[in-house]
């Protein structure tokens, strides 16, 4: 039996289109998929959608195309007011993890804040042309490992917005399909390590070897564990 996972998934673009089919095969996936973008024709070269969904909201296209019946699409952007809207309209929702698949810092910052509020896990996946990254955090790991603390630009670069994804807050260049795929795979593996059968998330006494981040380039994949952060 697949373990159940209640997830708030922010971003329905390239990384999400590669990630969600495998995640749904590994878990009994429930929750919300959030993105205010509509699918455009030029997205199809690096994102897995049906061309019949051009002009529709991406959340609708992904849920339908990949057959994700237990995810509800929210066609909106994650900004400073989203957390309050979610708590007001869906006050019984308690996510196990917030999965952040957007390419701008303001939305990532909001997701960090929501993980603290809900006391749940946080995954951030990102990529550029030839590099991919995925990281994990949970409040019980301590504030010093919060992504917005380890990578201060998440909080300090505030130009741009989740709506237009322009300016310095845009975190990545236009993605290649392979970079989207790698980022999605790294994020899925992190989620399985922490939330899958016998995952580290269930352990009361963390040993230090638990992985909290993967970084990949053309030539190598770097693994960052809890012990690695303690040595700094």
């Amino acid at each position: 039996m697949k373990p159940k996972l209640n997830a708030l998934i922010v971003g329905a673009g390239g990384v999400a289109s590669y990630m969600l089919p495998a995640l749904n095969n590994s878990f009994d996936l429930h929750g919300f998929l959030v993105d205010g973008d509509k699918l455009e024709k030029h997205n199809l070269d690096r994102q897995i959608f049906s061309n019949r969904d051009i002009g529709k909201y991406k959340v609708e296209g992904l849920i339908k195309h990949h057959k994700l019946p237990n995810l509800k699409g929210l066609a909106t952007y994650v900004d400073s007011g989203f957390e309050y809207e979610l708590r007001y309209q869906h006050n019984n929702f308690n996510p196990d993890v917030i999965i952040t698949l957007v390419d701008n810092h303001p939305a990532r910052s909001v997701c960090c804040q929501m993980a603290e509020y809900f006391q749940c896990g946080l995954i951030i996946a990102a990529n550029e042309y030839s590099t991919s990254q995925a990281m994990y955090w949970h409040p019980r790991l301590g504030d010093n490992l919060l992504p917005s603390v380890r990578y201060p630009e998440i909080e300090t670069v505030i130009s741009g917005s989740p709506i237009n994804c322009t300016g310095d807050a845009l975190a990545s260049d236009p993605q290649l399909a392979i970079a989207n795929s790698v980022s999605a795979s790294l994020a899925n593996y992190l989620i399985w390590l922490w939330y899958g059968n016998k995952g580290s998330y269930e352990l009361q006494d963390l040993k230090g070897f638990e992985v909290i981040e993967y970084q990949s380039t053309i030539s190598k994949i770097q693994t960052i564990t809890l012990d690695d952060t303690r040595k700094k």
Side-chain angles (χ1 to χ4, degrees):
M1 180 180 296
K2 296 187 294 187
K4 184 176 180 179
L5 187 70
N6 289 318
L8 175 63
I9 304 168
V10 179
V15 177
S17 70
Y18 284 88
M19 179 182 182
L20 289 179
L23 187 66
N24 191 53
N25 284 339
S26 300
F27 292 92
D28 179 15
L29 187 60
H30 294 252
F32 296 96
L33 176 63
V34 187
D35 197 316
D37 283 351
K38 291 185 177 181
L39 184 67
E40 300 178 24
K41 185 176 181 179
H42 68 84
N43 296 138
L44 296 176
D45 64 345
R46 59 185 184 274
Q47 302 179 13
I48 304 177
F49 288 86
S50 168
N51 57 13
R52 295 188 296 271
D53 293 325
I54 292 173
K56 299 178 182 177
Y57 285 107
K58 288 184 176 180
V59 292
E60 299 172 359
L62 274 188
I63 289 172
K64 180 180 178 181
H65 185 64
H66 295 297
K67 298 179 175 61
L68 307 168
N70 295 319
L71 282 184
K72 180 179 179 180
L74 299 179
T76 187
Y77 293 104
V78 171
D79 55 20
S80 58
F82 175 79
E83 176 186 335
Y84 303 100
E85 179 183 346
L86 181 70
R87 288 157 52 185
Y88 177 74
Q89 296 186 4
H90 308 282
N91 57 2
N92 292 323
F93 178 59
N94 292 301
D96 299 312
V97 61
I98 297 171
I99 303 172
T100 310
L101 309 175
V102 292
D103 58 0
N104 69 88
H105 292 320
R108 290 172 179 166
S109 175
V110 172
C111 289
C112 290
Q113 296 167 27
M114 288 195 295
E116 291 184 285
Y117 172 80
F118 286 110
Q119 290 293 290
C120 69
L122 172 69
I123 292 283
I124 296 180
N127 62 273
E128 295 184 15
Y129 274 111
S130 58
T131 63
S132 300
Q133 184 179 25
M135 65 189 79
Y136 173 79
W137 179 75
H138 191 282
R140 67 193 182 92
L141 297 181
D143 289 345
N144 62 310
L145 294 182
L146 183 66
S148 57
V149 173
R150 295 180 61 219
Y151 298 97
E153 61 269 23
I154 291 177
E155 295 290 350
T156 58
V157 179
I158 59 174
S159 61
S161 76
I163 295 176
N164 56 32
C165 287
T166 61
D168 293 338
L170 186 63
S172 67
D173 294 318
Q175 315 100 327
L176 293 176
I178 190 64
N180 284 336
S181 178
V182 172
S183 183
S185 296
L186 296 177
N188 271 333
Y189 191 46
L190 267 180
I191 294 169
W192 182 256
L193 288 177
W194 286 92
Y195 293 92
N197 293 328
K198 299 181 180 179
S200 298
Y201 182 78
E202 301 296 334
L203 298 177
Q204 298 299 315
D205 182 22
L206 296 173
K207 305 300 183 183
F209 57 76
E210 292 84 4
V211 179
I212 62 167
E213 185 173 345
Y214 289 111
Q215 297 179 1
S216 75
T217 64
I218 294 176
S219 60
K220 66 178 181 180
I221 295 180
Q222 180 182 4
T223 301
I224 299 173
T225 67
L226 284 173
D227 275 346
D228 292 329
T229 64
R230 293 165 182 166
K231 293 174 184 176
K232 295 182 178 180

